[in-house]
Amino acid sequence: MFDLFVLPFCIGVLALLVISVVKYWLWISKFDGRQRVVVLRNMLSWKFLPAVWEAVRESLLHWRITKHNVILGYMHRSLAFGWFLLIVVGAVQAILACPDGHPFYVAIFFNYFEPRSPKVVPFAQAPLYAALMDALLLYVLSGLFLAMFKKIWSKPLGMKKTTKHNLTDRVTKAALWSIFPLRLLAEGATSANYHNGGFLVSAVGDLFTAMGFENPVFEYQLWLFYSLALGIFFSLMPFSRYMHIFTEVFLIYFRNLGVTEGHKKTGYSMFEMSACSRCGICIDNCPINRELDISNIQGVYLLQTVRNKDLWHRAEAIANNCMVCGRCSEECPVGVDLATIRRQVRTESNRSVDNPHGYGYLAKVHPFNAIGRVAYFGGCMSRLTPGITEAMEKIFQAAGQPYWYVDKEQSICCGRPLLQQGFIRQADSLRRKNQEMFAQSGATLLVTSCPICYQSFVKEYNLNIPVMHHTEYIKSLIADGRIKVSKGAQSVTYHDPCELGRGCGIYEPPRTVLKSVATLLPIKEEAGKSLCCGFNLGNTTLGVEQQALIRNAALDNLLAPSPDVVATACPMCKKAFARADRAPVMDVAELVAKQLV
Amino acid sequence: MGAGPAGIEAAAALAASGCGVVVFEKNERPLSNITDKACLFPNFESADTVAAQLLAKLSHPNISLQCGHDVSCITSAGTDPAAGWRVDDESFDAVLLATGYTTFNAKRKEELGYGIYPGVHTSLELEQMIRNKEIRNSISNLPKRIVFLQCVGSRDEKTGNHYCSKLCCVTAVKQAIEVKKLLPSVEAYVFYMDLRMWGQHYEELYRTAQQEYGVKFVRGRISEAGGTFDGRVQIKAEDTLLGLPLRMTSDLLVLMVGMESSDGTRRLSTLCDICGDYGFAQSLDPHLRDNLTPRQGLFVAGACKRPMTLTDSVVDGRSAAFAILSAADNK
């Protein structure tokens, strides 16, 4: 059971195996200490199970993509799951048909060897398997047809812009796309000669016969081309975007074990980057693309340039031009931690900018005594929106809650703005000082008005007291009956700040609070899909006019139901909207302070 | 359109040449941007006197003043560009847009505490106090210190107003002197980016403010304002000449609000298709055809084009009248 034409396929599979094993081994060896500990500790735990389920759901069935667009989901599913089944059912078919064993490639070229080799014997369900294999091939071909259609017109598949691929990716895709039609033709030609195969293949065979190709002589060439297409695809796969096929499974496994990105690029980052299929779903949703038509800086291009050393100079520019609003990650089918990878690039490119004397003032900031009180941290941005801090002081007083306004006189930044720009060491020095002060203060709870600080305290700090955003805190005050509010006649729409919503998953508390003081109107794009206000600290390259365009789009969305007031829960967003002067903008705390009874 | 200095001066000049003129004014009274002032820079002439002199010009028999008339519709009278214009069902040979300016809404810069802290006022509110000769802090006492902040809503990228409003610099100097005249013991500080004393006698006024009245000028912007328990305002700023941050507590913080295109300017210039940068009306060119627009029979004058002083507006109104008459002669 051998013929020369199987060689390209076998060489391809061998190359794929060797290169993948070497690559994965190298990446795993480059995990940092923390990631290694997490893997070793959880390797044999029950966390393996959700990973298997997620791998089936995402790598084979493509649920997240289906949620984005049903047809696009079908396209990916038919290619991935269809091909997977084709391989599995083909393998079973070969095992059943060859009781004396067979070389592995026979499953792939089964229809060629079936009529020729004496070792292949007829078995009971043979016609059923032939029909099943044909049905699966048809399933894959239907996906391929959609992929080709998408190349011409992508909009019906839920994508306005698609990724611009490099040469390797395009060659590999050509090889992938030719695999299944070649298989159909090759099997059809064999069927014309030997009358084997299921409904589809024999139909193609009949067609050949009808077209006058009695005993087609090009049968062998077709099988050779099929094998060549497979060989080319497999050997290019580790160097192209199709590396995501296997890598995603590894990524899902590691992620379920609890591995996360660190400050620096590690082997785990390589898994994340290679798990990106460059589908380009991140492009359409990016506000920088939507409003400014800049479509070369999104996650897909970031990962592409970071992965390739020759493109590093572009990676820096790409990494900086992002608001880190997280809108892309919301619908990323692979769930790549794009924000952290961006930060890694920023850290790398900012390494030369270092001012060890810049934080001398930290020594002069004195600890405070807040024993038994709530520590209130307005945050730097709230200093620019005194309406919010005034409202919070009023609410604390109304609740009879003793509090200490931490940064009223002397304040230290929470460190997140520095962190977002990749200044890890500098952010650390601020964080250490703050952490030490909070620990000494004796406060029972930390309430902050700024979602940026909130995310920082929750994710970057290790505080021994609970942390609440003021929307959560106000919600608890109302629920406990510590403050009483009346429902006003105003109608409001609520803007989800990126840092609070997508950043920390706080969607419900501000809405609950708003419903108790005003009429909350629904808007088109909210919660996880909310639009960035444009003035996020994450971006330092956009000009004010460009930021204003992004803000105006968010405002259009918020003002569509004609609310009396636009409500938000972030001083940054409030300032952004207030500058536009298109409608009154109020923080949730201000609305509550106004409705206190 | 608009019975401000430019509109009135143009109407008077046209009426004197024998044209029939209708002046549409949105407000109940003309010259609302003059009559709210106390004295005018640089010679401290009473604003009421100047307003009265301007108003007197409207009494010409050829002029009909329609106050309280907010124009809603301006269209060409026909397809022929020479056919004239229709304004709310009346026909005219020419239309002059002189819809003027409004001041920047200081609430858009929340960090300065306007509308939040009772000690923070706009320059217009201080002008009212000066007019009433009654300057009080938030608890109705005589203030000991007043801080002026320049460029609120002008030369400010963040609010989107990149342009200079041109007359706030000298206004702050004028107001500081007036405050010192009323309350000689008050300390007055002016925080500025640059002081642009471009007009005749402005530089002298600036020198007088320092030498005779002891007004202190600090180069630097105020980054934030906060309240104190006794109703005063605490400001944080940087003295950029000394390179030092500073904090100061003041009874009053006066925000020198810049000029923006008025609602009427935005609406009518958009309606006539001549809306330019920042919502100001756009003339054909700023040098030789500054009163003309791309549309025949449509003219512009005054602060609806860009920030202008009273003097500039009056001159521009007169020049617009001349442009209208020349256009009529050519026709």
Side-chain angles (χ1 to χ4, degrees):
Chain A
M1 285 208 275
F2 176 76
D3 197 292
L4 272 178
F5 81 83
V6 305
L7 277 180
F9 164 73
C10 295
I11 293 167
V13 169
L14 192 68
L16 173 63
L17 265 176
V18 172
I19 298 169
S20 302
V21 167
V22 170
K23 275 196 167 190
Y24 290 150
W25 183 77
L26 275 175
W27 294 348
I28 292 173
S29 69
K30 279 183 192 155
F31 273 30
D32 67 19
R34 190 179 50 89
Q35 291 164 338
R36 237 176 256 174
V37 168
V38 171
V39 172
L40 288 176
R41 190 182 295 158
N42 296 332
M43 218 158 90
L44 300 169
S45 74
W46 55 268
K47 288 179 180 177
F48 180 73
L49 288 173
V52 172
W53 169 226
E54 194 187 332
V56 171
R57 210 179 55 199
E58 294 309 329
S59 303
L60 291 177
L61 302 179
H62 290 86
W63 269 18
R64 283 195 209 114
I65 297 188
T66 309
K67 265 192 256 168
H68 178 79
N69 182 291
V70 178
I71 309 176
L72 191 68
Y74 176 85
M75 182 195 111
H76 283 93
R77 187 165 48 247
S78 57
L79 285 169
F81 191 50
W83 197 6
F84 173 76
L85 286 181
L86 211 53
I87 293 168
V88 172
V89 176
V92 175
Q93 185 187 32
I95 291 167
L96 290 175
C98 312
D100 302 332
H102 61 86
F104 75 100
Y105 53 78
V106 167
I108 307 297
F109 306 105
F110 184 78
N111 281 22
Y112 179 82
F113 290 109
E114 186 196 14
R116 289 184 170 86
S117 170
K119 284 184 184 168
V120 181
V121 294
F123 61 102
Q125 299 92 6
L128 178 72
Y129 271 87
L132 189 59
M133 287 297 282
D134 277 17
L136 288 172
L137 184 59
L138 191 62
Y139 182 41
V140 176
L141 284 168
S142 70
L144 185 64
F145 172 76
L146 282 174
M148 287 170 173
F149 179 79
K150 175 171 157 266
K151 179 105 185 134
I152 305 160
W153 191 27
S154 61
K155 217 173 164 196
L157 283 86
M159 295 183 72
K160 287 191 199 116
K161 280 191 185 154
T162 52
T163 319
K164 286 197 179 66
H165 293 298
N166 62 22
L167 187 65
T168 321
D169 280 350
R170 275 182 277 163
V171 172
T172 320
K173 182 155 92 175
L176 174 66
W177 280 13
S178 49
I179 289 173
F180 303 101
L182 281 172
R183 177 175 177 144
L184 179 68
L185 291 176
E187 290 185 341
T190 307
S191 174
N193 287 342
Y194 295 95
H195 307 288
N196 68 341
F199 65 93
L200 181 68
V201 167
S202 48
V204 175
D206 291 348
L207 193 67
F208 278 141
T209 316
M211 284 165 71
F213 301 118
E214 290 288 338
N215 300 326
V217 282
F218 46 80
E219 184 202 350
Y220 186 82
Q221 280 88 332
L222 283 169
W223 281 105
L224 176 65
F225 285 142
Y226 171 50
S227 171
L228 268 172
L230 282 167
I232 292 171
F233 177 70
F234 286 142
S235 30
L236 285 180
M237 201 172 129
F239 309 102
S240 74
R241 68 196 184 104
Y242 296 98
M243 187 65 173
H244 80 266
I245 297 172
F246 297 136
T247 315
E248 190 184 355
V249 179
F250 283 89
L251 177 69
I252 289 169
Y253 175 63
F254 288 130
R255 197 165 50 205
N256 275 278
L257 292 190
V259 183
T260 51
E261 284 285 350
H263 290 326
K264 280 187 184 150
K265 183 178 147 190
T266 63
Y268 180 66
S269 320
M270 290 309 296
F271 276 102
E272 291 232 70
M273 283 183 255
S274 304
C276 167
S277 63
R278 294 181 214 173
C279 65
I281 287 179
C282 50
I283 301 175
D284 279 342
N285 291 318
C286 175
I288 295 184
N289 166 51
R290 277 167 65 155
E291 309 313 326
L292 310 178
D293 208 23
I294 299 173
S295 54
N296 56 0
I297 49 96
Q298 283 74 16
V300 53
Y301 298 111
L302 174 81
L303 300 182
Q304 196 176 19
T305 47
V306 175
R307 203 162 29 177
N308 187 338
K309 282 195 189 78
D310 301 337
L311 298 174
W312 177 256
H313 60 285
R314 266 169 54 199
E316 291 187 11
I318 288 177
N320 284 327
N321 196 358
C322 166
M323 301 185 293
V324 207
C325 72
R327 185 68 182 82
C328 49
S329 298
E330 190 68 16
E331 280 177 66
C332 174
V334 189
V336 178
D337 187 355
L338 292 167
T340 312
I341 293 176
R342 249 177 220 280
R343 190 195 296 163
Q344 290 169 353
V345 180
R346 290 178 179 186
T347 307
E348 190 65 26
S349 64
N350 286 340
R351 226 168 23 176
S352 55
V353 189
D354 205 354
N355 178 5
H357 308 296
Y359 300 95
Y361 75 91
L362 290 181
K364 292 183 213 150
V365 180
H366 303 300
F368 56 95
N369 173 355
I371 294 172
R373 285 189 276 184
V374 167
Y376 173 60
F377 193 90
C380 318
M381 289 305 140
S382 302
R383 298 209 62 88
L384 300 179
T385 52
I388 299 177
T389 53
E390 292 283 318
M392 279 312 292
E393 292 201 79
K394 212 172 144 188
I395 290 168
F396 282 124
Q397 283 153 15
Q401 173 63 55
Y403 66 99
W404 176 258
Y405 187 166
V406 179
D407 51 346
K408 190 177 176 93
E409 290 302 323
Q410 41 178 6
S411 59
I412 301 178
C413 168
C414 69
R416 189 166 167 79
L418 280 167
L419 193 73
Q420 277 188 328
Q421 295 309 322
F423 294 101
I424 307 295
R425 257 162 38 90
Q426 291 84 340
D428 266 1
S429 59
L430 300 181
R431 195 188 65 217
R432 269 200 301 275
K433 177 75 182 180
N434 272 328
Q435 196 151 306
E436 180 190 305
M437 292 207 307
F438 285 126
Q440 290 172 356
S441 73
T444 52
L445 171 70
L446 175 59
V447 174
T448 173
S449 280
C450 175
I452 301 169
C453 305
Y454 178 74
Q455 176 148 216
S456 186
F457 291 144
V458 170
K459 293 190 177 164
E460 313 291 338
Y461 282 61
N462 187 13
L463 296 173
N464 53 359
I465 49 170
V467 184
M468 280 177 136
H469 183 255
H470 71 231
T471 52
E472 294 176 281
Y473 181 67
I474 294 171
K475 186 191 156 197
S476 75
L477 287 182
I478 296 175
D480 299 346
R482 293 182 61 194
I483 55 170
K484 294 235 171 346
V485 287
S486 64
K487 185 161 177 161
Q490 283 176 322
S491 62
V492 300
T493 51
Y494 175 66
H495 167 77
D496 284 282
C498 312
E499 298 267 334
L500 193 65
R502 283 187 291 266
C504 300
I506 296 189
Y507 296 114
E508 179 271 322
R511 288 185 166 79
T512 309
V513 173
L514 281 174
K515 279 176 194 160
S516 63
V517 293
T519 309
L520 180 63
L521 305 174
I523 50 172
K524 202 170 146 218
E525 290 174 276
E526 61 181 325
K529 296 193 171 181
S530 82
L531 305 173
C532 179
C533 74
F535 285 76
N536 192 319
L537 290 178
N539 197 314
T540 50
T541 42
L542 289 181
V544 181
E545 279 85 1
Q546 291 174 305
Q547 290 178 305
L549 286 175
I550 294 170
R551 172 200 61 204
N552 291 346
L555 262 181
D556 289 342
N557 180 39
L558 285 160
L559 294 177
S562 319
D564 299 324
V565 175
V566 171
T568 183
C570 169
M572 202 82 214
C573 304
K574 188 192 171 195
K575 274 203 79 67
F577 294 140
R579 277 183 201 135
D581 207 18
R582 283 172 58 184
V585 186
M586 287 173 91
D587 190 276
V588 173
E590 289 174 286
L591 281 159
V592 171
K594 222 177 91 185
Q595 296 301 128
L596 282 172
V597 286
Chain B
M1 312 288 151
I8 291 176
E9 189 64 28
L14 288 166
S17 309
C19 302
V21 184
V22 179
V23 180
F24 294 99
E25 170 56 49
K26 179 178 77 165
N27 297 326
E28 289 306 319
R29 307 183 71 82
L31 290 170
S32 56
N33 278 336
I34 304 286
T35 50
D36 59 350
K37 309 289 185 301
C39 295
L40 304 176
F41 57 78
N43 57 354
F44 294 94
E45 190 175 355
S46 151
D48 288 340
T49 314
V50 174
Q53 286 166 0
L54 276 168
L55 272 180
K57 298 189 178 194
L58 282 176
S59 57
H60 195 283
N62 283 353
I63 300 177
S64 138
L65 175 65
Q66 296 195 11
C67 279
H69 185 141
D70 197 1
V71 171
S72 61
C73 183
I74 306 181
T75 50
S76 307
T79 44
D80 177 13
W85 290 79
R86 289 191 70 74
V87 177
D88 287 354
D89 301 328
E90 285 184 68
S91 293
F92 298 96
D93 296 318
V95 167
L96 173 65
L97 210 64
T99 40
Y101 73 96
T102 187
T103 49
F104 176 79
N105 172 12
K107 283 189 180 167
R108 278 163 66 189
K109 289 194 78 71
E110 191 179 341
E111 62 269 37
L112 299 175
Y114 180 70
I116 297 169
Y117 303 113
V120 183
H121 295 277
T122 63
S123 42
L124 280 180
E125 289 166 351
L126 180 73
E127 192 71 32
Q128 197 58 42
M129 292 189 209
I130 295 170
R131 236 179 111 85
N132 300 338
K133 297 195 166 42
E134 199 170 83
I135 302 171
R136 292 285 183 270
N137 67 11
S138 63
I139 50 170
S140 302
N141 289 338
L142 289 176
K144 294 194 178 76
R145 184 182 281 166
I146 294 189
V147 169
F148 293 84
L149 172 62
Q150 295 284 17
C151 300
V152 176
S154 322
R155 301 178 71 195
D156 183 357
E157 262 196 59
K158 285 183 177 167
T159 55
N161 292 348
H162 294 238
Y163 58 90
C164 166
S165 282
K166 194 170 160 180
L167 49 79
C168 330
C169 283
V170 65
T171 304
V173 170
K174 181 208 77 148
Q175 289 189 334
I177 291 175
E178 285 172 318
V179 168
K180 289 290 277 191
K181 280 181 183 167
L182 290 167
L183 305 166
S185 64
V186 84
E187 269 187 89
Y189 288 87
V190 179
F191 283 78
Y192 66 94
M193 293 203 280
D194 303 287
L195 281 168
R196 299 188 164 173
M197 295 298 161
W198 51 276
Q200 192 185 23
H201 302 310
Y202 292 6
E203 185 66 27
E204 290 87 332
L205 201 64
Y206 169 41
R207 187 181 285 259
T208 308
Q210 295 173 82
Q211 290 181 334
E212 289 178 29
Y213 294 96
V215 179
K216 295 185 181 74
F217 289 83
V218 184
R219 195 186 83 175
R221 287 188 61 74
I222 294 175
S223 60
E224 60 186 83
T228 63
F229 68 95
D230 57 353
R232 294 190 297 163
V233 189
Q234 192 187 56
I235 56 160
K236 277 190 191 172
E238 185 184 352
D239 185 328
T240 56
L241 291 179
L242 294 177
L244 286 174
L246 66 87
R247 276 174 204 238
M248 186 184 276
T249 306
S250 170
D251 292 273
L252 295 177
L253 169 63
V254 180
L255 308 178
M256 305 304 298
V257 283
M259 292 167 96
E260 287 192 325
S261 52
S262 67
D263 290 344
T265 299
R266 275 168 201 259
R267 192 167 53 81
L268 295 182
S269 64
T270 309
L271 209 61
C272 302
D273 235 9
I274 52 163
C275 189
D277 295 343
Y278 311 107
F280 285 110
Q282 195 170 9
S283 64
L284 262 184
D285 76 57
H287 306 297
L288 300 180
R289 295 181 293 175
D290 197 25
N291 296 109
L292 307 184
T293 67
R295 305 188 63 180
Q296 197 177 333
L298 179 67
F299 300 85
V300 285
C304 70
K305 290 190 290 189
R306 67 190 80 100
M308 268 190 203
T309 62
L310 167 63
T311 323
D312 291 346
S313 295
V314 169
V315 172
D316 200 43
R318 217 173 294 151
S319 117
F322 184 71
I324 293 170
L325 291 171
S326 321
D329 285 349
N330 290 339
K331 204 158 84 176

